[in-house]
Amino acid sequence: MAPSPSEPAQLLDTLATLKVRKVSFELGRWRLPIGAEGVYGCIRHPGACLAVPVLDDGRVVILRQYRFAVARRLLEFPAGTLETGEQPLASIQRELGEETGFAAARWDSLGHLLPCPGYSDEVIHLFLARQLTPLADPPGSDADEDLQVVTLTPAQLEERLASGEESLDAKTVTAWFQARAFLARESRP
């Protein structure tokens, strides 16, 4: 099933813009497709990518990463923001090496998700990464990334998802759901 078609609102007036790193917050007066007008804020995001890395023995590679906005460590799949002009697959191939120290020989698209459509235009492109090999000389993560590489069996990951005791983000939960469905379809005769 294809995503629903775009129905852009009409910008009537820009009230404020704040740019921080790769994203900006825009406040404006808009006319919605149904004719209603109002003041709305939106985080403009260049897009992102995420990989569900699966080792040959079936274990998944996941990160325990500190996130300052929620002041805690989350279990997350490797992900990153697209650089200007960068394609999603090239971006996640780079991010996988930086964040996990692995490269993948097989990549499959799992589609995309819209993590916060009520206030952001961010699109995250999802991929399944397989046939992983450790990099001889991993590039290392960004200076502000505080992360630990963890491997879990699918059952262990499912247990953590279901327990409610682990802090996970929505993109990780969605990506795992998509990866599980993809792998199940692939294994059918």
Side-chain angles (χ1 to χ4, degrees), residues 159-187:
E159 182 180 312
R160 291 186 187 196
L161 287 170
S163 74
E165 294 174 11
E166 186 79 55
S167 294
L168 297 121
D169 67 336
K171 72 183 184 312
T172 294
V173 175
T174 302
W176 179 241
F177 176 83
Q178 293 289 90
R180 254 189 8 197
F182 183 94
L183 292 167
R185 283 189 308 271
E186 189 179 72
S187 67

Side-chain angles (χ1 to χ4, degrees), residues 2-15:
S4 58
S6 178
E7 299 178 66
Q10 178 186 6
L11 178 62
L12 303 173
D13 188 22
T14 299
L15 304 175

Side-chain angles (χ1 to χ4, degrees), residues 20-35:
V20 181
R21 295 179 71 172
K22 296 179 185 179
V23 299
S24 64
F25 178 75
E26 296 177 1
L27 185 64
R29 196 165 58 79
W30 293 84
R31 181 176 297 125
L32 302 179
I34 61 171

Side-chain angles (χ1 to χ4, degrees), residues 3-4 112-118 120-126 170-171 174:
S4 58
H112 69 276
L113 71 96
L114 307 169
C116 304
S120 175
D121 65 356
E122 181 180 10
V123 175
I124 301 177
H125 303 271
L126 307 175
K171 72 183 184 312
T174 302

Side-chain angles (χ1 to χ4, degrees), residues 85-99:
E86 189 176 39
Q87 292 300 308
L89 180 57
S91 178
I92 194 55
Q93 288 171 333
R94 173 181 49 77
E95 290 287 345
L96 182 67
E98 289 175 2
E99 293 187 349

